Structures are given as structure tokens and as C-alpha cells.
Amino acid sequence: MGREYVLPQISTTINVTRAPYLLQIIRPAGKTRSLTELSVTEGFEANLDGVRGFRIGIDASIWFFHAEYGKEGENPVLRTLFFRCASLMRSPFLPLFVFDGPKRPECKRGKKVNRTSHKLIPGMKAIVESFGFEWRTAPGEAEAELAYLNRIGVIDGVLSDDVDNFFPSNNLSGNRSNPVLNAAGKDDKNHTKVYRLSEITDHHDIRLTRGGMILIGLMSGGDYHQGGLNKCGTKTAHGLAKCGFGDTLFQAAQSKTREQLKSFLITWRHELCHELRTNSQGHIGTKHPSLANSVTPDFPDIDVLLSYTNPITSESMGCSTGTFRPTWLKEPDLGKLAATCEFYFEWGYREAIIKRFRTVIWHSAVLRILRRAVLELDKKAHGSTPPATPKKSGRLVQVDIGTPSKMIAKHFSSSNLDDGTVSEDDDYERLVIKIYSERRHVSTDEILEYRLEIAPAQLVHLAESGIKGIRSPEGPDEW
């Protein structure tokens, strides 16, 4: 996740990879932050919706695009997706993957869109579910659906590795060729540029609203109309947005019928051309009479305009928000994770799976278990006394909040392992054995971290419960 962007409360989808001028305009409003610090402070600690995590939306097609570069081993694309999900689970993010739906546009960025579902979508969904992440299929484009979900508060942000969904509300996206550096000037692959709509709108040099961004996309080229206005530069388009032409255009597209919009655009174009010829508000630098003369009677294309302002989403399809609002209660299923690895990857046999999980999964699993323990504590926060457990003698024994084995088995495995193998005494065996040290490091913006010793026996047991034994090592000395 080399370069990231967070954009709150914006609902316009404009591809900044294809429109780098827009990124240049809003760059002064960006603030560098650690992804870990962001998810901890604005997710786990802030706990605004009681879920102890930062709810983040992801356009699944972007992850497929980058995973196609994976070439190693069996099912290299799914292998890449697996390890990316594992990386995402190392912080208290609560991901929601959104897949493109059947009503997405036929053409985009000048190319015909292939509406055939990606053949690896079932495999990706299996991986996502094993990690305890949420997924859904949008009616149209995932980008637009993510913008809508962010706007109504279902998610807190949108993650994209190539700056693709730059304007669906809160957005995190990336550009590996120009990574964000930490305070020490190093690329730790854990830092992001954070942009907030209020800061983009209020910044003296930017002053862009949603309507202004749409206007820049229409005049300089975007996803649905690459050409824009001939010889219209970024500075001019930005100046016209400051004049308010984007806001009035957006409001009209949202409130008027198609016929009313046609009539509105006649006056709107006249005022736009007048500003280009006179620079009466002083935002476009100089007069542009030739550009005014090039504005055609059909600018902007109404279909293109409505693609930006009124995209196909669950809202436009009349769906109730309650029908798709995630509960965010799922946890990684260690048995399913092991079974998924066994099915898809050449290293999917017991010894290799457990060895990989030791370095790739246990760290994240412990973090999620501790989060779950806090959620359990939150539930009991209004109680007058700490929970107590009855012993065989009938005496109640006070129990400290922690990570009891039965809680781990209940939430982190779908296998029926409550068969008496977890004894009363076992339930008090510690997952966390010792806190070795603590630190504050530049890679996480100096938030407090602990180095732990854990006893992973139960985690191993839960993972092994999902392994069916359908694979064996390729060579006797491989592990």
C-alpha cells in the first residue's frame, strides 16, 4: 500500500490516474499519516459506531488488476490477494469489498467494458470470507457504490491502490511510483496522504466542491468523457469551478428533469462563455475568447453529466439501507483460512500452512482476538460488577476480561470444537504470555506498540481443524 489518499464526504468518481491534474490541484490539502495510526485512532479508539475498527470500502476490481502481476506458484492471482488481505488484517481495519455489478457502464475511459465476471471472483470471495471481511456486489460500478456507502455512513473510507476511486467519499488509494514517505524520509509502505473535503473546500488555493470536481472532469476529461473541452487547461477549469459553475451545474443535474436540464444548460453555457471572455470574477487568470467560441451547443453531454452526478447505486435502485448494512461482527475463521490455502495453493499442506501462519496470520489473529475481547467488555460496560464464572463447587469466581479459549473458539472458528476438549482450567490459559517491550516508532507515527510473547497452541488447533489432508509436500526436505 505504497501511496494512499483519504477523502471524506465526496461522492464523485473521477479517475485521477487518468486525471493527474486533479491530484495536483488538491495536493496542498494532503496530510501524511500512518495507516496504522489512522485505523487505531479513528477506528479502534474513536469507536464512533461501536465496532472498534475503521470501516473501509475496497473496489475489488482494482485488487484484481494489481494481482494479475503475480506470477509465483499455483493460482498466483489468488495468492497475491491472500497476502494482501493478510497485510490488511494487521491493523484494525474492517474491510468491505465491493464488486462491479451488471449495470456498470458499457464504455469507460474510451474502451468497451467487459461485463463478463472475472473467473477468480469465487476464489476471491472465499478468501475474503475466510478473513472475516465483508463483501457485496454493486448494481453498477463499485466506485459509485462505495461513494454512496461512505456518504450514508456505512463505511469510513475507501481504499484503492492506484488512486482509482479518488472521489467516492473517504478514499484511500495508491501510486507505487511516487510513495508517501514517513517523517524519517523513508518509504515504509505504511503511510498515506489524508485529504478531507472540508479542507479541500476551505483551502485558499483549492476551494473545490463536489460540483467543482465534476466540472473539472467535464472540461479536462474524465472516466466517461476523455476529451473534455479542446485546449481547456487545468488552471482555467479550476478557476471556473471557483466561480461556482460546477455547483450550479451539479444542483441542476440533481434537481431537474432531463428537459428542464436542457433549458437550464442554455443559460449556463451563456454565463460560462461570458466569464471566459471577460474574467469578471478574476479566477481564470486571463480572458479566453477563443475557448469561449469553442464551447459547443451540446456541452456538456447530458448523459456524461448524469453519469457523474447520478450514477447507478443501491440508492438509485430504490434499495433500503437496512438491506445491506454490514454488522461488522465477523472475525477471521482460522479453519477456513487453512482450508482455503489447502485448496488453492501448492503449499497447502499442514506443515507449510502452520509455518506460514506463524509469520503471516498469528500476529493479526492476536490483534483481532484482543479487539473481540474489548467488544465483549464494551457489551458489559453498563454492568455493575465484572462477569463471574460458576465453578463445579457452585462458587462464583471473578474473571478478568481477557482472551478465554471458549471466546476464541466461538468467534474464530466455524468448526464445532466445543466437544469437551476445552476444559475449565484450559479456559484460563493465557494467549498472551508476556509483554516483552514497548516502543514508539516513526513507521506508525509514534503510537504506543507492544512486543508480545504468545502461546499459539489453540490458534494452531483451530487452523488444523480446517485441513482435510488433500495435499502433501512435493519433496521430503521441503520443510
Side-chain angles (χ1 to χ4, degrees):
M1 301 178 193
R3 184 192 186 104
E4 311 293 328
Y5 302 92
V6 185
L7 291 166
Q9 302 308 314
I10 308 175
S11 302
T12 308
T13 49
I14 298 176
N15 188 316
V16 184
T17 6
R18 303 281 177 171
Y21 50 81
L22 204 45
L23 176 57
Q24 292 299 326
I25 291 173
I26 68 170
R27 192 182 298 279
K31 291 181 173 58
T32 300
R33 289 181 67 178
S34 159
L35 288 170
T36 305
E37 183 271 336
L38 173 69
S39 61
V40 170
T41 59
E42 297 198 16
F44 182 82
E45 292 180 349
N47 196 30
L48 297 179
D49 207 35
V51 295
R52 293 290 179 183
F54 191 91
R55 304 164 301 175
I56 192 157
I58 299 172
D59 183 345
S61 65
I62 305 246
W63 277 40
F64 271 126
F65 175 79
H66 288 291
E68 293 287 354
Y69 290 96
K71 303 298 180 185
E72 296 182 16
E74 185 179 337
N75 291 312
V77 172
L78 293 180
R79 170 194 171 101
T80 301
L81 293 171
F82 175 86
F83 284 108
R84 290 181 62 124
C85 285
S87 177
L88 194 59
M89 197 171 68
R90 292 176 70 89
S91 296
F93 285 115
L94 303 177
L96 168 63
F97 286 83
V98 178
F99 295 85
D100 287 327
K103 297 183 181 294
R104 59 188 181 273
E106 294 184 358
C107 291
K108 191 173 181 181
R109 300 164 202 158
K111 297 181 180 179
K112 188 174 179 62
V113 173
N114 182 4
R115 294 193 175 190
T116 305
S117 296
H118 198 292
K119 64 180 180 180
L120 294 179
I121 283 180
M124 182 175 183
K125 288 179 178 178
I127 291 173
V128 167
E129 290 177 351
S130 297
F131 275 97
F133 300 160
E134 302 275 357
W135 68 265
R136 63 171 297 164
T137 300
E141 284 190 286
E143 292 173 323
E145 186 72 5
L146 288 166
Y148 166 58
L149 295 178
N150 198 172
R151 177 164 56 83
I152 65 173
V154 171
I155 54 177
D156 303 309
V158 179
L159 173 67
S160 170
D161 282 6
D162 62 358
V163 205
D164 201 9
N165 319 336
F166 203 75
F167 293 111
S169 305
N170 284 2
N171 193 353
L172 301 110
S173 51
N175 184 336
R176 297 177 184 177
S177 63
N178 191 17
V180 173
L181 305 181
N182 62 27
K186 295 182 179 180
D187 175 17
D188 55 23
K189 296 181 171 53
N190 192 42
H191 271 75
T192 175
K193 279 292 184 184
V194 178
Y195 295 85
R196 301 188 183 280
L197 179 57
S198 59
E199 294 167 359
I200 292 173
T201 302
D202 296 339
H203 194 287
H204 180 268
D205 295 328
I206 304 174
R207 292 169 51 197
L208 268 184
T209 60
R210 180 182 176 189
M213 294 177 193
I214 292 175
L215 180 68
I216 293 175
L218 290 169
M219 300 195 75
S220 301
D223 280 355
Y224 308 113
H225 180 62
Q226 288 189 293
L229 274 182
N230 187 32
K231 296 183 179 179
C232 178
T234 304
K235 184 177 179 181
T236 302
H238 186 197
L240 290 171
K242 289 181 178 180
C243 293
F245 287 103
D247 295 330
T248 56
L249 183 63
F250 175 72
Q251 292 165 8
Q254 290 268 285
S255 61
K256 298 182 182 297
T257 66
R258 193 179 185 92
E259 289 304 314
Q260 291 172 334
L261 189 57
K262 288 180 180 178
S263 299
F264 164 83
L265 286 174
I266 295 173
T267 303
W268 182 85
R269 275 190 297 269
H270 175 76
E271 293 174 351
L272 180 80
C273 292
H274 175 75
E275 186 62 29
L276 285 170
R277 292 189 178 98
T278 63
N279 187 26
S280 63
Q281 297 188 47
H283 292 309
I284 59 175
T286 186
K287 299 175 183 179
H288 297 275
S290 59
L291 182 57
N293 293 334
S294 72
V295 177
T296 61
D298 59 354
F299 176 81
D301 184 291
I302 292 181
D303 290 327
V304 173
L305 172 62
L306 295 178
S307 295
Y308 284 124
T309 61
N310 304 313
I312 295 174
T313 64
S314 297
E315 180 181 37
S316 68
M317 299 295 290
C319 297
S320 167
T321 57
T323 61
F324 56 80
R325 188 177 289 271
T327 62
W328 310 105
L329 295 177
K330 297 177 182 178
E331 299 290 0
D333 188 321
L334 300 180
K336 278 188 177 180
L337 278 172
T340 300
C341 293
E342 182 180 34
F343 185 80
Y344 287 111
F345 309 132
E346 75 280 359
W347 46 268
Y349 53 91
R350 192 184 90 63
E351 295 82 1
I353 290 173
I354 299 305
K355 182 172 183 178
R356 295 248 182 182
F357 279 22
R358 187 181 306 139
T359 57
V360 176
I361 299 297
W362 292 164
H363 171 285
S364 305
V366 171
L367 183 146
R368 296 287 163 149
I369 290 169
L370 293 172
R371 168 183 170 267
R372 172 54 56 182
V374 174
L375 287 171
E376 296 292 309
L377 179 61
D378 288 344
K379 279 203 248 179
K380 297 167 179 151
H382 299 295
S384 58
T385 59
T389 300
K391 303 292 283 187
K392 290 180 180 179
S393 63
R395 180 172 53 91
L396 290 177
V397 176
Q398 212 70 10
V399 179
D400 293 330
I401 297 298
T403 57
S405 300
K406 286 185 178 179
M407 183 272 283
I408 297 173
K410 175 182 177 181
H411 292 285
F412 293 83
S413 174
S414 57
S415 302
N416 184 16
L417 297 179
D418 190 13
D419 54 3
T421 57
V422 178
S423 71
E424 197 170 78
D425 291 334
D426 289 338
D427 206 36
Y428 304 113
E429 291 184 0
R430 293 181 177 180
L431 172 67
V432 178
I433 302 299
K434 181 179 180 182
I435 299 177
Y436 267 109
S437 61
E438 62 181 55
R439 74 166 188 175
R440 295 183 184 272
H441 195 266
V442 66
S443 64
T444 54
D445 288 351
E446 308 293 337
I447 65 170
L448 183 60
E449 301 174 84
Y450 294 97
R451 185 177 182 86
L452 309 178
E453 177 186 350
I454 67 165
Q458 187 181 12
L459 305 183
V460 172
H461 178 54
L462 294 179
E464 289 179 334
S465 69
I467 300 174
K468 300 178 176 61
I470 60 176
R471 291 183 187 263
S472 59
E474 295 180 1
D477 299 323
E478 183 170 352
W479 293 95

